PDB file of all heavy atoms in Angstrom:
ATOM      1  N   GLY A   1     -47.536  20.131 -87.505  1.00  0.00           N
ATOM      2  CA  GLY A   1     -48.054  19.641 -88.772  1.00  0.00           C
ATOM      3  C   GLY A   1     -47.845  18.204 -89.159  1.00  0.00           C
ATOM      4  O   GLY A   1     -48.769  17.558 -89.643  1.00  0.00           O
ATOM      5  N   THR A   2     -46.639  17.680 -88.965  1.00  0.00           N
ATOM      6  CA  THR A   2     -46.396  16.351 -89.538  1.00  0.00           C
ATOM      7  C   THR A   2     -46.551  15.221 -88.524  1.00  0.00           C
ATOM      8  O   THR A   2     -46.644  14.058 -88.914  1.00  0.00           O
ATOM      9  CB  THR A   2     -44.985  16.268 -90.171  1.00  0.00           C
ATOM     10  OG1 THR A   2     -44.010  16.572 -89.170  1.00  0.00           O
ATOM     11  CG2 THR A   2     -44.849  17.237 -91.328  1.00  0.00           C
ATOM     12  N   ILE A   3     -46.575  15.540 -87.235  1.00  0.00           N
ATOM     13  CA  ILE A   3     -46.767  14.495 -86.232  1.00  0.00           C
ATOM     14  C   ILE A   3     -48.047  14.801 -85.451  1.00  0.00           C
ATOM     15  O   ILE A   3     -48.128  15.794 -84.724  1.00  0.00           O
ATOM     16  CB  ILE A   3     -45.563  14.408 -85.269  1.00  0.00           C
ATOM     17  CG1 ILE A   3     -44.285  14.051 -86.053  1.00  0.00           C
ATOM     18  CG2 ILE A   3     -45.820  13.378 -84.176  1.00  0.00           C
ATOM     19  CD1 ILE A   3     -43.027  14.011 -85.226  1.00  0.00           C
ATOM     20  N   ALA A   4     -49.050  13.947 -85.614  1.00  0.00           N
ATOM     21  CA  ALA A   4     -50.336  14.167 -84.928  1.00  0.00           C
ATOM     22  C   ALA A   4     -50.193  13.843 -83.448  1.00  0.00           C
ATOM     23  O   ALA A   4     -49.528  12.889 -83.067  1.00  0.00           O
ATOM     24  CB  ALA A   4     -51.412  13.293 -85.549  1.00  0.00           C
ATOM     25  N   LYS A   5     -50.808  14.676 -82.617  1.00  0.00           N
ATOM     26  CA  LYS A   5     -50.836  14.397 -81.176  1.00  0.00           C
ATOM     27  C   LYS A   5     -51.773  13.211 -80.920  1.00  0.00           C
ATOM     28  O   LYS A   5     -52.712  12.980 -81.662  1.00  0.00           O
ATOM     29  CB  LYS A   5     -51.348  15.627 -80.414  1.00  0.00           C
ATOM     30  CG  LYS A   5     -50.518  16.885 -80.614  1.00  0.00           C
ATOM     31  CD  LYS A   5     -49.195  16.799 -79.873  1.00  0.00           C
ATOM     32  CE  LYS A   5     -48.467  18.129 -79.842  1.00  0.00           C
ATOM     33  NZ  LYS A   5     -48.067  18.618 -81.144  1.00  0.00           N
ATOM     34  N   SER A   6     -51.511  12.513 -79.837  1.00  0.00           N
ATOM     35  CA  SER A   6     -52.308  11.314 -79.537  1.00  0.00           C
ATOM     36  C   SER A   6     -53.786  11.639 -79.332  1.00  0.00           C
ATOM     37  O   SER A   6     -54.651  10.799 -79.558  1.00  0.00           O
ATOM     38  CB  SER A   6     -51.747  10.618 -78.297  1.00  0.00           C
ATOM     39  OG  SER A   6     -51.712  11.519 -77.203  1.00  0.00           O
ATOM     40  N   GLY A   7     -54.090  12.890 -78.922  1.00  0.00           N
ATOM     41  CA  GLY A   7     -55.482  13.247 -78.643  1.00  0.00           C
ATOM     42  C   GLY A   7     -56.264  13.767 -79.836  1.00  0.00           C
ATOM     43  O   GLY A   7     -57.452  14.080 -79.714  1.00  0.00           O
ATOM     44  N   THR A   8     -55.625  13.849 -81.007  1.00  0.00           N
ATOM     45  CA  THR A   8     -56.276  14.455 -82.171  1.00  0.00           C
ATOM     46  C   THR A   8     -57.586  13.752 -82.533  1.00  0.00           C
ATOM     47  O   THR A   8     -58.640  14.384 -82.675  1.00  0.00           O
ATOM     48  CB  THR A   8     -55.326  14.437 -83.396  1.00  0.00           C
ATOM     49  OG1 THR A   8     -54.083  15.025 -83.035  1.00  0.00           O
ATOM     50  CG2 THR A   8     -55.930  15.218 -84.553  1.00  0.00           C
ATOM     51  N   LYS A   9     -57.505  12.434 -82.674  1.00  0.00           N
ATOM     52  CA  LYS A   9     -58.689  11.671 -83.087  1.00  0.00           C
ATOM     53  C   LYS A   9     -59.790  11.746 -82.026  1.00  0.00           C
ATOM     54  O   LYS A   9     -60.970  11.938 -82.338  1.00  0.00           O
ATOM     55  CB  LYS A   9     -58.294  10.215 -83.348  1.00  0.00           C
ATOM     56  CG  LYS A   9     -59.386   9.427 -84.049  1.00  0.00           C
ATOM     57  CD  LYS A   9     -58.917   8.031 -84.409  1.00  0.00           C
ATOM     58  CE  LYS A   9     -60.024   7.265 -85.110  1.00  0.00           C
ATOM     59  NZ  LYS A   9     -59.651   5.853 -85.339  1.00  0.00           N
ATOM     60  N   ALA A  10     -59.391  11.613 -80.750  1.00  0.00           N
ATOM     61  CA  ALA A  10     -60.373  11.646 -79.652  1.00  0.00           C
ATOM     62  C   ALA A  10     -61.085  13.001 -79.615  1.00  0.00           C
ATOM     63  O   ALA A  10     -62.303  13.071 -79.396  1.00  0.00           O
ATOM     64  CB  ALA A  10     -59.675  11.381 -78.317  1.00  0.00           C
ATOM     65  N   PHE A  11     -60.325  14.081 -79.845  1.00  0.00           N
ATOM     66  CA  PHE A  11     -60.928  15.417 -79.844  1.00  0.00           C
ATOM     67  C   PHE A  11     -61.939  15.560 -80.986  1.00  0.00           C
ATOM     68  O   PHE A  11     -63.041  16.074 -80.787  1.00  0.00           O
ATOM     69  CB  PHE A  11     -59.853  16.502 -79.960  1.00  0.00           C
ATOM     70  CG  PHE A  11     -60.424  17.884 -80.150  1.00  0.00           C
ATOM     71  CD1 PHE A  11     -61.047  18.535 -79.100  1.00  0.00           C
ATOM     72  CD2 PHE A  11     -60.374  18.513 -81.384  1.00  0.00           C
ATOM     73  CE1 PHE A  11     -61.615  19.790 -79.274  1.00  0.00           C
ATOM     74  CE2 PHE A  11     -60.934  19.777 -81.569  1.00  0.00           C
ATOM     75  CZ  PHE A  11     -61.548  20.407 -80.506  1.00  0.00           C
ATOM     76  N   MET A  12     -61.567  15.086 -82.173  1.00  0.00           N
ATOM     77  CA  MET A  12     -62.473  15.196 -83.321  1.00  0.00           C
ATOM     78  C   MET A  12     -63.781  14.444 -83.072  1.00  0.00           C
ATOM     79  O   MET A  12     -64.860  14.934 -83.400  1.00  0.00           O
ATOM     80  CB  MET A  12     -61.787  14.678 -84.590  1.00  0.00           C
ATOM     81  CG  MET A  12     -60.716  15.615 -85.113  1.00  0.00           C
ATOM     82  SD  MET A  12     -60.186  15.212 -86.797  1.00  0.00           S
ATOM     83  CE  MET A  12     -59.279  13.708 -86.530  1.00  0.00           C
ATOM     84  N   GLU A  13     -63.660  13.268 -82.473  1.00  0.00           N
ATOM     85  CA  GLU A  13     -64.865  12.484 -82.163  1.00  0.00           C
ATOM     86  C   GLU A  13     -65.759  13.220 -81.174  1.00  0.00           C
ATOM     87  O   GLU A  13     -66.984  13.272 -81.327  1.00  0.00           O
ATOM     88  CB  GLU A  13     -64.465  11.109 -81.609  1.00  0.00           C
ATOM     89  CG  GLU A  13     -63.893  10.186 -82.680  1.00  0.00           C
ATOM     90  CD  GLU A  13     -63.277   8.920 -82.098  1.00  0.00           C
ATOM     91  OE1 GLU A  13     -63.223   8.795 -80.846  1.00  0.00           O
ATOM     92  OE2 GLU A  13     -62.842   8.062 -82.893  1.00  0.00           O
ATOM     93  N   MET A  14     -65.117  13.829 -80.150  1.00  0.00           N
ATOM     94  CA  MET A  14     -65.896  14.547 -79.143  1.00  0.00           C
ATOM     95  C   MET A  14     -66.606  15.762 -79.744  1.00  0.00           C
ATOM     96  O   MET A  14     -67.778  16.012 -79.469  1.00  0.00           O
ATOM     97  CB  MET A  14     -64.985  15.000 -78.000  1.00  0.00           C
ATOM     98  CG  MET A  14     -65.736  15.567 -76.810  1.00  0.00           C
ATOM     99  SD  MET A  14     -64.772  16.751 -75.864  1.00  0.00           S
ATOM    100  CE  MET A  14     -64.845  18.188 -76.908  1.00  0.00           C
ATOM    101  N   VAL A  15     -65.895  16.501 -80.598  1.00  0.00           N
ATOM    102  CA  VAL A  15     -66.466  17.701 -81.214  1.00  0.00           C
ATOM    103  C   VAL A  15     -67.643  17.355 -82.125  1.00  0.00           C
ATOM    104  O   VAL A  15     -68.658  18.047 -82.147  1.00  0.00           O
ATOM    105  CB  VAL A  15     -65.386  18.484 -82.004  1.00  0.00           C
ATOM    106  CG1 VAL A  15     -66.014  19.539 -82.888  1.00  0.00           C
ATOM    107  CG2 VAL A  15     -64.434  19.152 -81.035  1.00  0.00           C
ATOM    108  N   GLN A  16     -67.506  16.268 -82.862  1.00  0.00           N
ATOM    109  CA  GLN A  16     -68.594  15.866 -83.765  1.00  0.00           C
ATOM    110  C   GLN A  16     -69.849  15.486 -82.974  1.00  0.00           C
ATOM    111  O   GLN A  16     -70.961  15.678 -83.436  1.00  0.00           O
ATOM    112  CB  GLN A  16     -68.130  14.715 -84.661  1.00  0.00           C
ATOM    113  CG  GLN A  16     -67.239  15.223 -85.802  1.00  0.00           C
ATOM    114  CD  GLN A  16     -66.469  14.113 -86.500  1.00  0.00           C
ATOM    115  OE1 GLN A  16     -66.188  13.072 -85.925  1.00  0.00           O
ATOM    116  NE2 GLN A  16     -66.124  14.343 -87.749  1.00  0.00           N
ATOM    117  N   GLU A  17     -69.640  14.986 -81.763  1.00  0.00           N
ATOM    118  CA  GLU A  17     -70.777  14.624 -80.902  1.00  0.00           C
ATOM    119  C   GLU A  17     -71.377  15.835 -80.209  1.00  0.00           C
ATOM    120  O   GLU A  17     -72.579  16.041 -80.194  1.00  0.00           O
ATOM    121  CB  GLU A  17     -70.330  13.613 -79.830  1.00  0.00           C
ATOM    122  CG  GLU A  17     -70.266  12.184 -80.329  1.00  0.00           C
ATOM    123  CD  GLU A  17     -69.788  11.247 -79.232  1.00  0.00           C
ATOM    124  OE1 GLU A  17     -70.093  11.506 -78.050  1.00  0.00           O
ATOM    125  OE2 GLU A  17     -69.100  10.274 -79.557  1.00  0.00           O
ATOM    126  N   THR A  18     -70.506  16.668 -79.603  1.00  0.00           N
ATOM    127  CA  THR A  18     -70.984  17.747 -78.722  1.00  0.00           C
ATOM    128  C   THR A  18     -71.075  19.104 -79.397  1.00  0.00           C
ATOM    129  O   THR A  18     -71.701  20.022 -78.875  1.00  0.00           O
ATOM    130  CB  THR A  18     -70.045  17.888 -77.506  1.00  0.00           C
ATOM    131  OG1 THR A  18     -68.748  18.313 -77.975  1.00  0.00           O
ATOM    132  CG2 THR A  18     -69.903  16.586 -76.747  1.00  0.00           C
ATOM    133  N   LYS A  19     -70.386  19.288 -80.561  1.00  0.00           N
ATOM    134  CA  LYS A  19     -70.304  20.589 -81.250  1.00  0.00           C
ATOM    135  C   LYS A  19     -69.662  21.661 -80.364  1.00  0.00           C
ATOM    136  O   LYS A  19     -69.922  22.850 -80.505  1.00  0.00           O
ATOM    137  CB  LYS A  19     -71.696  21.090 -81.704  1.00  0.00           C
ATOM    138  CG  LYS A  19     -72.487  20.087 -82.521  1.00  0.00           C
ATOM    139  CD  LYS A  19     -71.808  19.774 -83.817  1.00  0.00           C
ATOM    140  CE  LYS A  19     -72.621  18.781 -84.647  1.00  0.00           C
ATOM    141  NZ  LYS A  19     -71.818  18.089 -85.659  1.00  0.00           N
ATOM    142  N   ASP A  20     -68.820  21.220 -79.432  1.00  0.00           N
ATOM    143  CA  ASP A  20     -68.181  22.153 -78.500  1.00  0.00           C
ATOM    144  C   ASP A  20     -66.666  21.993 -78.595  1.00  0.00           C
ATOM    145  O   ASP A  20     -66.134  20.920 -78.329  1.00  0.00           O
ATOM    146  CB  ASP A  20     -68.656  21.855 -77.068  1.00  0.00           C
ATOM    147  CG  ASP A  20     -68.028  22.789 -76.038  1.00  0.00           C
ATOM    148  OD1 ASP A  20     -67.419  23.798 -76.462  1.00  0.00           O
ATOM    149  OD2 ASP A  20     -68.140  22.510 -74.842  1.00  0.00           O
ATOM    150  N   ALA A  21     -65.983  23.072 -78.991  1.00  0.00           N
ATOM    151  CA  ALA A  21     -64.523  23.004 -79.176  1.00  0.00           C
ATOM    152  C   ALA A  21     -63.758  23.486 -77.949  1.00  0.00           C
ATOM    153  O   ALA A  21     -62.533  23.517 -77.953  1.00  0.00           O
ATOM    154  CB  ALA A  21     -64.126  23.848 -80.381  1.00  0.00           C
ATOM    155  N   SER A  22     -64.447  23.841 -76.885  1.00  0.00           N
ATOM    156  CA  SER A  22     -63.790  24.516 -75.754  1.00  0.00           C
ATOM    157  C   SER A  22     -62.792  23.639 -74.998  1.00  0.00           C
ATOM    158  O   SER A  22     -61.940  24.137 -74.279  1.00  0.00           O
ATOM    159  CB  SER A  22     -64.837  25.066 -74.774  1.00  0.00           C
ATOM    160  OG  SER A  22     -65.596  24.009 -74.231  1.00  0.00           O
ATOM    161  N   MET A  23     -62.866  22.302 -75.175  1.00  0.00           N
ATOM    162  CA  MET A  23     -61.954  21.401 -74.464  1.00  0.00           C
ATOM    163  C   MET A  23     -60.683  21.108 -75.268  1.00  0.00           C
ATOM    164  O   MET A  23     -59.888  20.269 -74.886  1.00  0.00           O
ATOM    165  CB  MET A  23     -62.666  20.071 -74.164  1.00  0.00           C
ATOM    166  CG  MET A  23     -63.941  20.214 -73.371  1.00  0.00           C
ATOM    167  SD  MET A  23     -63.600  20.550 -71.643  1.00  0.00           S
ATOM    168  CE  MET A  23     -63.214  18.896 -71.073  1.00  0.00           C
ATOM    169  N   ILE A  24     -60.483  21.816 -76.353  1.00  0.00           N
ATOM    170  CA  ILE A  24     -59.407  21.502 -77.305  1.00  0.00           C
ATOM    171  C   ILE A  24     -58.025  21.396 -76.653  1.00  0.00           C
ATOM    172  O   ILE A  24     -57.225  20.529 -76.997  1.00  0.00           O
ATOM    173  CB  ILE A  24     -59.403  22.520 -78.476  1.00  0.00           C
ATOM    174  CG1 ILE A  24     -58.453  22.069 -79.597  1.00  0.00           C
ATOM    175  CG2 ILE A  24     -59.081  23.945 -77.999  1.00  0.00           C
ATOM    176  CD1 ILE A  24     -58.630  22.837 -80.897  1.00  0.00           C
TER     177      ILE A  24
END
């Protein structure tokens, strides 16, 4: 919760583009 993983932002950007959450 309080410490974001380094990949959080990159994952959100990818999901908004591809609409695919399977690489989470």
Side-chain angles (χ1 to χ4, degrees):
T2 58
I3 299 177
K5 301 287 191 296
S6 56
T8 307
K9 192 175 180 186
F11 172 72
M12 287 194 289
E13 288 170 356
M14 189 207 76
V15 167
Q16 282 165 334
E17 279 179 33
T18 65
K19 308 296 181 200
D20 180 12
S22 62
M23 303 285 280
I24 190 167

